């Protein structure tokens, strides 16, 4: 470890790469950024200039080969994640990787094996665990404020569907969108899902169906404890980003509302109204992106396990595959049917 | 028709019979009550005294045989409903009958056939359609405020489970409790359900399981339009009666909250808190019980169809049977599997 | 006392007279109405028919002279209240009188003296004490939930100003509208006001100013305990009837919101909105009108003091006079300047 | 101007100095910090290290004498503000100064004259204008969403009183605490106050009274337009920092609620509760501190007037003096009595 600061290399200078770079540069004094690289040199240079990063790397290998670097942030496209994890592990770097690890369990298992063999740490970018609302729900369960969980509801709706080109390479709604909710379900309940049933459809844009994807889904989860729950996904909510959770337990319930740009309420002769909620994930989850990096940094510096491990990255992919299989076969599907 | 007032006979002087008697006596000047009967003469006498009802009938037949009576309220136990509907129809009385009509489709069909043949009017006591919250949800759909419905959520939780003796004769959670929510689903969406999938369990009291019933359930509904939805039922919510609905449509969503005894918020050094919501259906739905009788009276006096017809009473029973079959067979069940 | 039921005569069959008659007839089995009278015989007859009142009296004297009557409801215009109280007291009737007792302290004192001499009971129609929201605020103070009260805010705004003709005979905003809030201030705080300062103006309709009245006011109250508070009055709130209270105490605060016709929230691409609050006092305070009569009936039947006594009727008039004097003289005014 | 970046010197490295330094360093790429100075060299060094500031100045004069510096942030104690403004103006620096400029109008006028003569720009640190809630209230007034303002309420309560030593040197509650609310009143209404009446007391801690200060106050404002309003101040709110505003206008009202750390609601068998609001000004107003510096930077770079000018810094001091005079003389006081 290079002294007291954790030294990072960043692979990928797109939207999320830039957000993470800013967090490291401006909010985490216990870190420093050694280099950033991207297939777009301009993108990498822009982030480097903004965040005072001394070096723009031409390739990922250049970053992985830099012995002064302790940890890498993998913010490149999903298709590259598993291979980069393997290489980074082999180079002895600790790894923070955006979700999902890969679309296939084979690739994930290869990556996780490499991480285990190298003995490095891996954290997956399930940032919502660090959102103050979802963290409060988890806290209520852990504290026993609501007793033993019985019923879970997760509402997760985007303001508008992404471009069809994105949809085509996204891995489908379950791997692209619901995967966050699958992680939330495990995290909030502190329990594992055994079986999934999916009801879904194409209700927003027929082009999504033509791309063999779905845009609206209800996913029923059965947990080991016997608890049951639903995830509600829509690629379009006219009023903006809608991210809520509710747990009913033996002693009560906890439910979260959305976060708004202000708390003003206007009353006129026609209605009582407020502005719309924070519009999309960059606004709603700003703070959680910083907190997940802080947690990663602290875990690595302390030599302790990260709060979102490789297996936490694998299971939601299994759930996504089961959700799709359930939809395709029109029946409840056990997770062990997908991954023995 | 006996002049301008609608003249009622009431069969059953239990809790709901008494509520209906008070509505007719004190809130609907366009009605009068000719007689009330109950297997408990004391119960009938008490209501008669309270509501100035001139006659306590010894039997239902005495009420049905009274030519001065235009309409009957059937508030007796479910097991008697279908037979009483048949007799009342044959006697030429208009009929307001509490839900459900019966636990079996055969009995329901006999009752509905008798009603049709007699040409009398029938209204089923799905009072929640007249609750200001659910009526507002329906209005938003009809007005197009939320566009084309895509996703529905109904939350319907009781404060505490009924006695096991009640559970045993209730017909099961789907016929006893969810039946209201099945009606709500059809009413709010203005659409018919084609298929049901049920995830459920015994989480509150093993004795409920020993009575071969369930106490916690998630029911997924697929509508003809392609829309999908869930019903969330629990026999126990520590914080009281929880009755909410939410519809996501192409233009937005409408969601309802519970009704509270007051709108006071207390802020202390520990938390910001309110009192619990109105505790159970008699408090929460008080007004809706009066409004459904008003609607029945107006429909009969005007010779127009009632707002909740016999078929509206039959379909939720089909849904309940499908929900149970889905649970038993662990697969999605088409309604037409249960009722061709 | 005529047996176990309290026998009422009602003087005045206007809006509030009718509301009280319906409460007695349909909701309070421990009461009966012997007669009702009004200068408009038609109005009295209509209420009598609706509420099964056996007799329409030609004059107030006819009611006061009926030995079978235990108590009178004085629902006639304010100008007649004090004289009717005196006569009713002399006739040995218990008295429920609408607010205010009179516009002058002399008349009030004559009335209260007559009541005291006759030993009958008197309750003034400050119904808001029985509203579930304000009752909850009082309860929080009594329970010590918010500690020792320090700051009070009462917001009390009408949807729209009354006709100018009404304004002219109303006694002015402080005696007509604020008087309820003066009562609330004493009731909620459990404390007496010593001094008042008024800032006010004509902001809604110049015709109100031409009638020598005000339409918008802020009244600062200084209590004996040292606590301070404000009353905010407006004759016009575009969004409807606005009735709220807030107390800050040493341990926290309690604040109430308005009551709405439903708890539905609509979210669209433009805003998140609800319907407007219950529009005016008949909707908002329906239940409180029934509860105040119940409390009066119980107090009289039990021979205990009523919850809103004659002195509770007098003090708000003193406060109203002080508020106007403060406005006229542009300075804080002690209550003892107005009433020694 | 030194190129495209605005070059700052910071005088004062206490709590607010550090917050401003971080904003400049990490959030405003169009700025750079040349130097920071504080009577505590350690404090200045700590901020310099955190924010990569190249120089720690021994004295304010060293900063004011640096020709490479365009603008100064005055974050030192109030007693030094006016003199530093004069010196900075004479040195040709643009000035951002924390509130209040001074406790005496004489000192303020000297400072403002120096600013005017030098032709530099001055912005006063009334950060709440940049808070999303208060900005939304102002926007509603400007947009005409609530029509012509008639009534204003500002609630501004601290979680707990400061140490008595602070109280003694604070200038009193009106100059220390209410001064923000005086600014808010002018800002939200877009109107000037003509007259003030103060009701206040010592209710929290007798030691505050012994220090000749007050801890609880209601201040009535009369605006030029005829509108009226109140400010509610308490040095202690058990539930935390309470910062709200409400305006009633001819077309409606706008009211703001507090901001909370999360939007979770827990329902148990005892109550429905949330966590407490964000606890104090550093949490509640974080974003506004950044936005005010951004606005200052943009104004200076564009050569346009700042959004909170010297006169905006002077008027709240006049209001504070009038508020105290009103309390002392127990009468409404015109602002022109205090400052001709």
């Amino acid at each position: 470890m290079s002294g007291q600061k954790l030294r990072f290399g960043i692979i990928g200078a797109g939207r999320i790469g830039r957000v993470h770079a800013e967090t490291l540069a401006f909010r985490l004094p216990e870190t420093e950024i050694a280099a950033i690289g991207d297939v777009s040199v301009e993108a990498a240079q822009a982030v480097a200039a903004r965040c005072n990063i001394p070096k723009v790397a031409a390739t990922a290998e250049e970053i992985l080969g830099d012995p002064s670097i302790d940890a890498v942030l993998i913010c490149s496209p999903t298709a590259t994640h598993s291979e980069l994890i393997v290489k980074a592990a082999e180079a002895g770097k600790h790894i923070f990787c955006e979700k999902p690890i890969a679309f296939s369990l084979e690739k994930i298992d290869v990556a996780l094996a490499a991480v285990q063999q190298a003995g490095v740490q891996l954290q997956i970018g399930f940032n919502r665990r660090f959102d103050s609302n979802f963290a409060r729900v988890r806290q209520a369960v852990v504290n026993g404020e609501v007793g033993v969980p019985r019923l879970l509801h997760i509402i997760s709706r985007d303001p508008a569907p992404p471009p069809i080109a994105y949809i085509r390479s996204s891995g489908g709604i379950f791997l692209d969108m619901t995967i966050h909710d699958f992680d939330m379900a495990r995290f909030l309940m502190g329990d594992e899902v055994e079986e999934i049933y999916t009801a879904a459809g194409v209700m927003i844009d027929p082009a999504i169906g033509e791309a063999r994807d779905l845009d609206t889904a209800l996913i029923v989860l059965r947990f080991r404890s016997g608890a049951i729950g639903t995830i509600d996904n829509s690629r379009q909510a006219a009023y903006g980003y809608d991210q809520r959770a509710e747990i009913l337990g033996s002693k009560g319930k906890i439910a979260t509302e959305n976060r708004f740009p202000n708390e003003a309420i206007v009353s006129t002769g026609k209605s009582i109204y407020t502005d719309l909620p924070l519009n999309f994930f960059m606004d709603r989850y700003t703070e959680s992106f910083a907190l997940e990096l802080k947690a990663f940094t602290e875990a690595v510096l302390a030599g302790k396990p990260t709060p979102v491990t490789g297996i936490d990255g694998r299971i939601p992919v299994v759930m996504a595959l089961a959700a799709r299989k359930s939809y395709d076969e029109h029946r409840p599907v056990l997770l062990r049917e997908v991954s023995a």
Side-chain angles (χ1 to χ4, degrees), chain A residues 51-230:
Chain A
C51 300
N52 300 314
I53 302 173
K55 183 172 163 190
V56 171
T59 63
E61 284 69 23
E62 195 178 329
I63 289 172
L64 297 175
D66 180 340
S68 82
I69 288 175
D70 305 310
V72 291
L73 295 193
I74 301 179
C75 307
S76 50
T78 299
T80 68
H81 288 181
S82 57
E83 193 185 333
L84 285 169
I85 289 175
V86 171
K87 288 183 180 172
E90 288 171 355
K93 310 301 188 199
H94 299 293
I95 304 159
F96 182 99
C97 182
E98 279 304 314
K99 63 89 207 170
I101 303 177
F103 294 146
S104 88
L105 295 178
E106 292 72 22
K107 286 190 175 181
I108 292 174
D109 290 341
V110 167
L112 297 195
V115 166
Q116 190 168 21
Q117 189 164 351
V120 297
Q121 298 213 36
L122 170 63
Q123 181 169 328
I124 308 301
F126 283 127
N127 60 292
R128 294 185 195 174
R129 292 187 179 206
F130 301 89
D131 173 72
S132 64
N133 275 309
F134 296 121
R136 184 66 183 82
V137 175
R138 179 61 190 146
Q139 183 192 8
V141 171
V142 170
N143 289 353
E145 279 172 281
V146 297
V148 179
R150 291 173 181 165
L151 283 166
L152 165 74
H153 293 284
I154 293 173
I155 303 266
S156 176
R157 299 167 181 164
D158 285 353
I164 294 298
Y166 176 92
I167 295 269
R168 281 206 195 91
S169 66
S170 70
I173 190 171
F174 304 119
L175 276 161
D176 179 58
M177 183 174 174
T178 326
I179 197 160
H180 270 297
D181 308 304
F182 288 137
D183 181 60
M184 271 298 97
R186 297 178 63 237
F187 170 67
L188 297 178
M189 298 286 279
D191 196 359
E192 294 295 341
V193 168
E194 283 191 334
E195 190 184 65
I196 285 180
Y197 175 75
T198 304
V202 178
M203 305 187 201
I204 297 163
D205 183 353
I208 294 174
E210 289 156 17
R212 302 178 55 87
D213 200 1
L214 301 154
D215 57 32
T216 307
L218 282 173
I219 298 138
V220 178
L221 311 173
R222 190 162 56 73
F223 291 86
R224 275 189 201 161
S225 64
I228 46 183
T230 63

